[in-house]
Amino acid sequence: MTRKASRTIWIGGTSVWALVAVPAAAQETTTATANPPAVIAQDQTDTVDGATAGDIVVTARRRSESLQNVPVIVSVVDQRALVTNNASDLSKIGELTPTVIVGAYKSNGGGSIAIRGISSPANQAGFEQAVSVAIDGVQTSDGRIAQLGVFDVQQVEVLKGPQALLFGKNNTAGVISITTADPTDHLEVTGRALYEFVGDELLTEATVSGPITDSFGARLAVRYRNLDGWLRNTAQPLANPFYRAATGAPAGAAQLPGASDPRPGDQEVLARLTLKGEPADNVTFRAKSFYAHNNDSGPGTATQNIGPCTGGVPRMYGIADPNADCVVDNRTTIGDLPAAISQTMRGGTADGSPYGRLTVLTQMVELGWKTGNIAIDSTTGYNYTQYKFFSGLDQTTYSQLAFFNDQRAEQFSQELRFTSDFGGIFNFMAGGFYQTSRLHDNNDTKLNDGNYNAAANRYSTYEDFSLQTGNTLSGFAQLILKPVPTLEIAGGARYTRERKNFMKKNLYGIGTFATQNTVYPGSNHIGELQGRFDDDNVSPEATITWRPTNEVTVFGAYRTGFKSGGFGLTSPLQTGTRIGDADFGSERAKGFEAGVKGLLMNGRLRFTLAGFAYTFSDLQVNTYDPARVAYTINNAGRVRQRGSELELNYEPSQYFRLHGAIAYTHNRFSDFVGQCYGYAFPTGTTRATAVPPPNCSFVNATALTLQQSFNGRAPARSPDWAGNGGGEISIPFGGYKLAITGDAFYSGGYYAAETMAPSTYQNAFWRFNASARVAEIDDRWSVSVIGRNLSNRYYLLYAADRTGGTSVPGAIGEQRGVVARGREIALQLAGKF
Ligand SMILES: *[C@@H]1O[C@H](CO)[C@@H](O)[C@H](O)[C@H]1NC(C)=O
Ligand SMILES: *[C@@H]1O[C@H](CO)[C@@H](O)[C@H](O)[C@H]1NC(C)=O
Ligand SMILES: *[C@@H]1O[C@H](CO)[C@@H](O)[C@H](O)[C@H]1NC(C)=O
Ligand SMILES: *[C@@H]1O[C@H](CO)[C@@H](O)[C@H](O)[C@H]1NC(C)=O
Ligand SMILES: *[C@@H]1O[C@H](CO)[C@@H](O)[C@H](O)[C@H]1NC(C)=O
Ligand SMILES: *[C@@H]1O[C@H](CO)[C@@H](O)[C@H](O)[C@H]1NC(C)=O
Ligand SMILES: *[C@@H]1O[C@H](CO)[C@@H](O)[C@H](O)[C@H]1NC(C)=O
Ligand SMILES: *[C@@H]1O[C@H](CO)[C@@H](O)[C@H](O)[C@H]1NC(C)=O
Ligand SMILES: *[C@@H]1O[C@H](CO)[C@@H](O)[C@H](O)[C@H]1NC(C)=O
Ligand SMILES: *[C@@H]1O[C@H](CO)[C@@H](O)[C@H](O)[C@H]1NC(C)=O
Ligand SMILES: *[C@@H]1O[C@H](CO)[C@@H](O)[C@H](O)[C@H]1NC(C)=O
């Protein structure tokens, strides 16, 4: 029963128009040169190989090259597109690029990014993502990056396919490389205010940028965003059916409060300070400090019940919730905790209301030195991320499943790179990379209000603590040969050594979670599960590029990728847990890619056509181990990927442009038998009479345990077809101009859940957006109306089995899902001085 998960709902008009104050940035104006709109002075592109006027410069090979010439499939989103689309975070950047799906799921792993249908599950802290994000050359593979507003950005490059050689490991599927804006060579003040009507969202942004001395410049960018919320929390006060007076629990726990915040939203403050200069001849310096703080009503409110539900309402441990629904829409249900229970939990609030708080601090310092034909670059990065939340997570008013979670990650990295510029037939790039990291996690978990322990005054089932430390050492070298001017052969390899140490213990626990006295094999502390991970990898890569004319580039490449193994921090610790349940090995990718890039019709039509064939092996997945009747993190199976992509940009005149892209990606599993989705057998079923639910089978002839073979099926969130198309018209009149844009996006169907539960199938869908903008001809100010998701489709980005939702005999377990925001209509005012 493949339910149509997305419904078309029309919100009754968009009649509420509000006034937005002009940004208060109108200060002094020293140089009001009529600079072209979004082009901010960048001086690193002086020696670009074969770049023609109006060409796009990319750093896909860690050097400045023309997009047209680089033998890598890159989708570029420039600043102009970012501003006209209000693409203020990674998910929106993902929407601008077919085959890129970004989902921000706040709990656990923090988010998942897919390129060409390859992603890592978001439900494990400790899994690296298959796509890494490099901000100003410093990489992170922490899924939480998907949550952070990306702002004041110069350019985004999406590099598709493994990029191990130059970007290091942890990018078996690709790299999103973000370059933030640098100081300008004259004083510039910009401001932007945006109000979105459906979600009641206000966004303000300001930047101040300019020279300080002849050789130093600075730029400060800040953003404040307040979203009231497009979701409505339907939880209402109810008597607590799980309350057991016999346990001695206080009477306050007998009443559930409902939701204190019916429109859960979030608040965000971001700031970035950039300093850039040339302290001496041939020496460049760039430092970026970034601070982000985001608070919201916890991760529970970001997901909702999507069914299938017996009787139209979800159940928690078999008890129906009259306030909730089971439809993909703009409603969610998460009850606050009774104050009497909240106050006994670590991190609980006095009134039982949920929260989520994210704090990020990063520092990047880049030093460049040019001596003769060699450039030496050093990039140092430091990172601190803390995410703390307290929330019910079962998507019902009952909030029986509730957590406090405190995750802290700290990383330091140093890269040194030598790049030659001999101009002749031979060039090289070589370097080294070191990284050290620390991941700390404290989790207090309540599973049922009936579990009151009067002696400890706790309702929690367990509280755990885990710590993972790691260090990475890596070296790489690439040779580039140009035997004749039209031919280039590049080859190289990266060596990586990875070490990790892991420790987990329960600070409190009942039943099998009381592990204080458990002696875990191989561990030297009673009550602690310990593990150590060691791996080496060599990832080679070779590319042949032929540039018969300035307008055509043809290339073929062999590429490999590697994603480190480690430990899953999320699985609970029980007396029977073994280190083999938490550890997992490295994931690998290898394959071929070929492409043609060309400029036709005097450069008015630009196209890129690519074909690729990769194999991803030892995928990092959560699987069911029938021998031990437990879920474990494992390496299983392979994905065989075959596909092709075509991207077109046509600019018949300066007033009119069209673009389109279409991608076919055939990803299929082999050798992968994993877990079945949740299912409750009819009462009284025996193995002899049992019938497995669709696509699942029994592990053997004696047990009622289910498994599922995924062979021949596409992974979750991997549609076969995706594409987009649109255009922009710009009409000058008097001293003004009017610009109108329209776009359509298509995605084929996919399963949103790793377990491929039938109700998580998202049918193919279209999305539309459009905008209109009136601006002064030199862009000193502009007013825009921006519309997104105009057909108001709610669609599934991610789904999973809902804990406590497998309670109706003979029925498939209920699912929870992250649903894409529906229609957005916004008014934006922007100024630049
Ligand atoms: C949204 O609209 C802009 C133009 O306003 C377009 O460039 C972009 O591709 C659109 N995004 C989607 C997903 O359609
Ligand atoms: C790659 O993954 C390893 C181990 O999972 C992690 O420690 C490291 O930070 C990642 N490397 C990069 C460059 O992101
Ligand atoms: C949710 O959608 C309904 C119509 O489908 C609309 O009436 C309601 O205002 C929406 N709620 C929010 C919070 O946007
Ligand atoms: C975020 O924090 C501010 C100040 O601490 C508080 O006033 C606001 O209510 C918080 N917002 C949410 C959604 O929790
Ligand atoms: C700077 O570089 C140029 C060209 O590479 C060279 O001629 C000059 O001597 C260098 N200056 C210093 C101080 O190294
Ligand atoms: C730290 O993480 C942030 C956000 O998650 C990211 O922007 C940055 O690149 C990371 N830095 C390092 C050194 O890993
Ligand atoms: C905390 O524990 C719960 C219960 O097992 C688990 O589902 C959740 O993923 C854990 N969170 C983290 C970040 O470890
Ligand atoms: C069948 O599976 C169950 C549980 O997974 C296991 O305990 C039992 O040993 C298995 N029986 C056989 C014959 O393999
Ligand atoms: C079972 O798997 C096949 C693909 O192998 C799929 O087409 C079908 O829809 C699945 N059935 C259900 C009920 O999910
Ligand atoms: C549609 O809604 C989703 C959910 O927020 C959002 O990620 C996406 O940006 C929207 N699509 C467009 C084209 O605006
Ligand atoms: C503009 O960007 C903000 C920041 O993420 C987003 O929340 C808002 O919904 C966007 N507005 C539109 C109309 O897309």
Side-chain angles (χ1 to χ4, degrees), residues 84-85 95-96 659 724 727 741-745 767-771 787-788:
T84 53
N85 294 318
E95 283 164 17
L96 299 176
H659 63 89
N724 65 14
T741 68
D743 272 273
F745 172 97
R767 264 191 332 240
F768 301 95
N769 63 4
S771 72
R788 306 170 66 95

Side-chain angles (χ1 to χ4, degrees), residues 475-510:
F476 59 95
Q478 183 193 37
L479 282 181
I480 299 183
L481 293 176
K482 272 192 175 172
V484 290
T486 55
L487 193 67
E488 183 195 285
I489 302 169
R494 174 180 289 256
Y495 166 79
T496 306
R497 197 203 68 185
E498 182 95 40
R499 299 258 149 96
K500 284 183 186 174
N501 285 303
F502 168 81
M503 177 282 272
K504 181 160 189 148
K505 63 180 177 191
N506 280 345
L507 305 174
Y508 169 81
I510 58 172

Side-chain angles (χ1 to χ4, degrees), residues 322-340:
N323 301 322
D325 71 5
C326 296
V327 182
V328 175
D329 60 5
N330 62 358
R331 282 169 294 177
T332 185
T333 311
I334 278 288
D336 291 1
L337 266 56

Side-chain angles (χ1 to χ4, degrees), residues 25-75:
Q27 290 157 7
E28 74 191 272
T29 315
T30 48
T31 35
T33 43
N35 243 23
V39 181
I40 284 175
Q42 283 284 292
D43 54 5
Q44 327 143 288
T45 54
D46 42 355
T47 52
V48 176
D49 208 12
T52 51
D55 208 346
I56 297 170
V57 174
V58 296
T59 50
R61 293 201 295 176
R62 308 294 303 269
R63 32 170 111 218
S64 297
E65 290 175 292
S66 141
L67 172 63
Q68 173 59 26
N69 285 348
V70 73
V72 178
I73 298 299
V74 190
S75 294

